[in-house]
Amino acid sequence: QQQVKQSPQSLIVQKGGISIINCAYENTAFDYFPWYQQFPGKGPALLIAIRPDVSEKKEGRFTISFNKSAKQFSLHIMDSQPGDSATYFCAASMNTGNQFYFGTGTSLTVIP
Amino acid sequence: KAGVTQTPRYLIKTRGQQVTLSCSPISGHRSVSWYQQTPGQGLQFLFEYFSETQRNKGNFPGRFSGRQFSNSRSEMNVSTLELGDSALYLCASSPGQYQETQYFGPGTRLLVL
């Protein structure tokens, strides 16, 4: 059972456009929501993370929007660049350790 | 600091065999987690070790086991390999105990024939 549902599976965006990836969860005990970026042949790397006490967090061109009542959160990549082409994973965790539940991933391709 | 290292990087085994994968965390990190990555399933949590103790375990059969040594290095073992065990196995280390940033290694690609 997938505890974190992620969509879309793949995404193609023009350079300069906005990329949006969505995730949803059911377990209300989750209280930490990171996004990871993975390039081919590499392990995932933390991109940005949010806790449910805020509705939005921005770091450079990357923004997380969080809707606690809907149990949904999303990643927005502004001014998308070809170098952003990678697989993105959302994740969630409870305060019980370092166990993370990951979404199934979104393959982003930014066309020059 | 050196990153997380995993050995071997690639492995081919046949059904029924067993395999041991190794992970060296970032120096000073005491938490090591293991994940299985397959297309369409994303990353599935296997288990987490902190100071040589298994703290959390994912929903995998008992054929999957692990351990952590006093120097925080960790090994993962899969016995009686099945075709469905073919995957990328990722190790991640973290400096602290709770909801810490996971620093992933490049993974071990296991192919079971």
Side-chain angles (χ1 to χ4, degrees):
Chain A
Q1 181 186 0
Q2 198 71 30
Q3 296 231 20
V4 179
K5 292 181 168 58
Q6 183 173 348
S7 63
Q9 185 176 349
S10 62
L11 185 59
I12 299 174
V13 173
Q14 292 276 0
K15 178 183 175 182
I18 302 173
S19 303
I20 302 175
I21 304 170
N22 300 299
C23 286
Y25 64 97
E26 286 298 324
N27 191 339
T28 55
F30 289 147
D31 62 357
Y32 180 63
F33 303 88
W35 284 87
Y36 281 80
Q37 178 189 55
Q38 185 178 29
F39 292 104
K42 305 284 188 183
L46 179 67
L47 194 60
I48 186 173
I50 197 168
R51 292 193 181 274
D53 53 341
V54 297
S55 60
E56 186 176 281
K57 184 175 181 180
K58 184 176 181 180
E59 289 184 4
R61 296 184 294 109
F62 301 91
T63 300
I64 300 178
S65 296
F66 188 84
N67 186 330
K68 187 174 181 178
S69 60
K71 291 184 284 187
Q72 296 175 347
F73 57 111
S74 60
L75 175 70
H76 292 64
I77 305 174
M78 312 301 287
D79 186 26
S80 298
Q81 299 296 313
D84 296 331
S85 297
T87 301
Y88 293 81
F89 293 94
C90 60
S93 76
M94 297 173 275
N95 193 23
T96 56
N98 290 314
Q99 177 175 0
F100 287 82
Y101 298 87
F102 282 81
T104 51
T106 296
S107 177
L108 171 65
T109 302
V110 181
I111 300 172
Chain B
K1 281 185 180 179
V4 177
T5 58
Q6 293 187 244
T7 56
R9 291 293 310 276
Y10 303 93
L11 208 48
I12 300 176
K13 292 286 188 179
T14 56
R15 277 184 304 173
Q17 288 186 310
Q18 75 166 21
V19 66
T20 299
L21 312 181
S22 181
C23 171
S24 292
I26 293 172
S27 178
H29 286 193
R30 295 164 62 191
S31 169
V32 174
S33 300
W34 288 88
Y35 292 85
Q36 181 193 66
Q37 184 176 10
T38 55
Q41 291 293 315
L43 282 75
Q44 301 287 315
F45 174 80
L46 281 154
F47 26 67
E48 182 211 356
Y49 288 88
F50 185 86
S51 294
E52 302 178 67
T53 300
Q54 186 181 91
R55 289 203 302 175
N56 293 293
K57 191 177 192 313
N59 189 26
F60 278 82
R63 300 185 296 107
F64 292 82
S65 63
R67 59 178 176 169
Q68 186 181 32
F69 302 96
S70 58
N71 62 358
S72 293
R73 191 176 70 83
S74 178
E75 288 183 346
M76 188 191 102
N77 185 275
V78 188
S79 62
T80 319
L81 284 166
E82 300 178 358
L83 296 179
D85 296 334
S86 295
L88 179 68
Y89 290 89
L90 292 163
C91 166
S93 75
S94 301
Q97 293 193 56
Y98 301 103
Q99 295 177 326
E100 296 280 335
T101 298
Q102 306 263 280
Y103 294 86
F104 284 88
T108 294
R109 176 76 62 184
L110 172 65
L111 177 61
V112 182
L113 301 176

